[in-house]
Each structure stands twice: as C-alpha cells, then as structure tokens.
Amino acid sequence: MSAVQLAYEQLKAYEGRSTSDACEGKDLVNEPMIRHWCEAVGDTNPAYQGPDAIAPPTMLQAWTMGGLSGHTDRSGAYDELSGLLDSAGYTSIVATDCEQEYLRPLRPGDRITFDAVIESVSERKTTKLGTGYFITTRMDIRADGEPAGTHRFRVLKYAPAVRRPEAAGRTPETAEAAARTPETAEAAARIPETAERPQASQQSQTPQRQQTPQQPQAPAQPRARRPRPVINRDNAGFWEGVSGHRLLIQRCTGCRTLRFPWLPGCNTCGSAEWETVEASGAGTVFSYVVMHHPPFPAFTVSEHVANTPRPQANAPRPHAGAPGPDPDAPGPEPDAPTPYAVGLIELAEGVRIVSNVIGVPYDKVRIGMPVRLEFLRVDEELELPVFRSAEGGEA
C-alpha cells in the first residue's frame, strides 16, 4: 500500500503521553551483572571492582530491562501511535540513535525505578530508507528515589523507498519504451502503418523464421543488499582503512594499549590521544556461531558457499590474499539460504574482531583454526574484511 501523509497535529498529540509509569527494575544493582558486563566488553576499570565498586554508567538501561517476560505496567500509548503509523503505510522501523545522561553513580544495592514518555514526534521526513516519522521516547531513571539518569531512544517509522529496477534487467524493447518521451510516442503513433519505420538493428531487417512461442520470463529481481555500516566520527578512520584494503587498529599514545573496536578514548588510562597500527592479517578463530535462521536474503549461499573453494581439474591454487571466487559463478541456487559461520577472530596483534569465516564449510570451522584477512566486495559500494581458512594452503 502507498503511505499517506498524516495530519501532524494528530501525531503531535501523542507527545508527553506516558509509555510506562512507576516501573521498577526486576533486580537491584548487583555485582554479578556488573562483572558479566565488564567481562563481555573487556572493561577492566578498577572503579567497577571491590567493596566500593560502582556500575559502569553505560549499564544505565540494563537495570530497566524486562527480560523475556517483559514489564506488565506499560501503557498502550506507544502501541497506539505505532498502529496509527502502520495503518497509514509506515510499516517499517529502524532504531537511529540513543542518548544517555548520567546524574549519579549506581552502586550495588540500589533499587531502580523509572517512567517513560513519548517526548517528540517529528514532522514527516524523507530519508534514504524511505519517508516517515522520527519518534523519541525519554526514560527518567531513579536510584532509591534519587534522579540517576535519562535515556532517550529514537526510531524511524517509515515506508520503504521504492527501488528502481536495475538497468541490467531491461530488454531492448523495455529500454526503447523507457527512453521514449510522450512527444516521441505521439509522433510515432501518427506514422501510418504503411510507412517505412526505422529499424532497431540489422537483425530486424532479415526475414524472421518461425519460432516456437516462448513462455514470458519473469523480470530479474535486484539482489538484496547488505546492511550499510554506521559510520561516525569515532570510526570513520577504520572504514577509510577498509576502503584501502588496510585493517587498522587503534593504539593509545599514552599507555600504548591496542584497542578494537574503535573507541574515542582508552579503556586503560582514559587518554583521548591515539594512533593506528595496521594489522598483519593473520589470526585464529577464538569463537564462532553458525547462523541458520532467519535467512536474510542479503546473506545467501552465493556469498558463503560460492566463496568456499571448489575442486577444479588443473586449477591453480589461489595465492595468499587472492580474492575469493566470483559470487556469480555457477553453483548452488543463489537465493537459497544456507548456514554460515560468523567468527570472533583473534588477530596476531591480540585484539579481536567479529567477521565471516570463508573458504571452508560452516561445519568445519573450529576454535583455534588459523585464518587470513581478505577484503570481500559484496556489492558495487560495500567492501568488508573477512577471514579465509588458512589450513591446507587455501589462504
């Protein structure tokens, strides 16, 4: 269905309406959750340990989460607004950003309460994804009744932009029709049927042989594209390196600690000054998961199985750093979803990166397996660092 423009006053009426009122966190602030969080993100700051430990400020939202069972004291205002936009054709949603303000440290034993409101609804905006409305919710968080922080979360409810068909999928007839303007079409309609019309090609001037009627072919569907990475001022240098086939790691100029992913400051000494080191490309699989479901169209067999080496008679072995086989080469059905391996790769420099493991069947990936960096072009705009199995001389 086509999206319709809603009266802005109708949407603005939701501003200030409560989405949750006087909710209580399911757990007190506690040491086990703090420890698990710090271990997961690799944060060794001593402020989060010992008898006077505080919780990392970025855990602010964690204490408000409802888990799988959720919270039962939520109002229906947000669902009502979302349903209104759905009915008008704005059926897709994407989170765009969040903003947190920390007012006091949280300590083990603090009891968390919070409430949330729809803070703002934007006027209709047109983005690259499509046309829609930005909705911002604000959560006010208290610890034992004292203001502790504010969490704002913004989403875009939108109608996806209509993609133009790929030019490669056009036939000569459709290309000629697309190029014809109303004026030329009208002029062509005035040419008598007995008049000689210009021929499109020499082939059309030759006598036509009787041919067996063919079934009409379905138009080629454009291939689903990988999600675009979010590039900001903190990680732009990393993606500039990728575009030049360099995997760059940050290094603190104060304590010389390497860090990855990129961050604006050092976790070890707090310094905001840093430089970059280029990774050698060698690494091992520290851990991995095999993705089975959901089968995203952009992550199909043509990109994962087609990059697995296929035995070919008299074919030379690829040299180190050589790009993978052509994703469009003959092989399994290109749109058939398949499991694929996502690895946590420990680089030779000691930091870790999440990426795809290629060059080996997903069920042959194992912890400790040596891998080698490659850069895989997944479409005309996007290139990503991936890691190919280095066993058996395949990397």
Side-chain angles (χ1 to χ4, degrees):
M1 63 177 289
S2 298
V4 298
Q5 185 166 1
L6 296 167
Y8 182 53
E9 293 74 15
Q10 185 180 10
L11 300 176
K12 196 172 178 62
Y14 284 89
E15 293 184 351
R17 291 186 59 178
S18 171
T19 63
S20 59
D21 187 24
C23 291
E24 185 171 311
K26 290 194 171 184
D27 297 285
L28 301 179
V29 176
N30 62 85
E31 293 178 0
M33 286 178 66
I34 294 173
R35 185 180 72 254
H36 294 165
W37 175 283
C38 291
E39 289 179 356
V41 302
D43 196 336
T44 58
N45 192 314
Y48 310 141
Q49 306 170 25
D52 297 322
I54 63 173
T58 49
M59 284 188 75
L60 183 67
Q61 188 188 16
W63 311 110
T64 70
M65 305 296 276
L68 295 177
S69 57
H71 289 286
T72 58
D73 43 5
R74 300 291 177 96
S75 75
Y78 194 91
D79 291 339
E80 185 180 323
L81 173 59
S82 184
L84 175 62
L85 291 167
D86 285 343
S87 64
Y90 305 95
T91 53
S92 296
I93 187 169
V94 62
T96 59
D97 61 281
C98 70
E99 176 185 324
Q100 293 184 340
E101 181 182 9
Y102 311 119
L103 302 178
R104 59 152 278 192
L106 298 180
R107 296 180 172 84
D110 284 343
R111 182 174 299 280
I112 300 301
T113 56
F114 59 95
D115 50 50
V117 298
I118 300 172
E119 185 173 59
S120 66
V121 183
S122 75
E123 296 183 357
R124 192 166 75 156
K125 305 289 186 180
T126 298
T127 72
K128 190 173 181 180
L129 288 176
T131 300
Y133 300 85
F134 289 94
I135 304 171
T136 304
T137 55
R138 188 191 75 246
M139 179 182 292
D140 295 311
I141 301 167
R142 295 171 292 278
D144 293 335
E146 298 179 4
T150 301
H151 175 80
R152 286 180 173 85
F153 191 71
R154 185 175 294 108
V155 301
L156 173 65
K157 280 282 287 179
Y158 67 100
V162 177
R163 303 294 182 188
R164 296 182 61 182
E166 296 291 338
R170 295 182 179 182
T171 64
E173 291 78 9
T174 57
E176 181 184 357
R180 185 178 295 168
T181 64
E183 291 78 9
T184 59
E186 182 182 356
R190 291 198 297 265
I191 300 176
E193 289 299 323
T194 55
E196 183 177 354
R197 294 177 181 267
Q199 301 300 315
S201 67
Q202 184 65 29
Q203 182 181 1
S204 64
Q205 299 177 24
T206 59
Q208 299 295 316
R209 296 181 180 179
Q210 186 174 2
Q211 298 179 350
T212 304
Q214 297 181 351
Q215 294 295 326
Q217 297 290 326
Q221 295 297 319
R223 180 175 175 79
R225 290 157 60 90
R226 288 282 190 98
R228 306 291 97 174
V230 176
I231 300 177
N232 54 41
R233 63 183 180 183
D234 292 329
N235 66 8
F238 169 76
W239 290 106
E240 289 174 5
V242 169
S243 66
H245 289 186
R246 303 171 68 215
L247 183 61
L248 299 179
I249 304 168
Q250 283 181 307
R251 181 168 63 189
C252 175
T253 56
C255 65
R256 311 299 288 176
T257 300
L258 296 176
R259 64 178 185 264
F260 193 91
W262 282 37
L263 294 170
C266 179
N267 279 335
T268 302
C269 70
S271 172
E273 303 299 323
W274 52 271
E275 59 190 5
T276 60
V277 175
E278 183 176 357
S280 67
T284 56
V285 176
F286 183 83
S287 184
Y288 69 96
V289 296
V290 176
M291 297 295 298
H292 293 266
H293 188 84
F296 292 106
F299 297 82
T300 56
V301 68
S302 59
E303 287 183 5
H304 299 280
V305 173
N307 276 284
T308 300
R310 301 189 186 97
Q312 295 180 5
N314 303 320
R317 304 184 74 84
H319 63 276
D326 183 357
D328 296 323
E333 285 297 322
D335 293 322
T338 186
Y340 57 91
V342 179
L344 178 61
I345 308 301
E346 184 164 80
L347 300 178
E349 291 74 18
V351 297
R352 298 170 188 160
I353 179 175
V354 175
S355 184
N356 289 116
V357 179
I358 65 172
V360 64
Y362 69 88
D363 55 354
K364 301 299 182 184
V365 177
R366 60 176 178 81
I367 292 175
M369 184 176 72
V371 291
R372 189 76 189 175
L373 171 68
E374 287 186 9
F375 291 89
L376 175 67
R377 180 165 293 282
V378 296
D379 59 41
E380 69 279 3
E381 296 176 354
L382 182 62
E383 201 163 10
L384 298 173
V386 297
F387 290 84
R388 181 176 292 277
S389 167
E391 293 186 337
E394 292 177 351

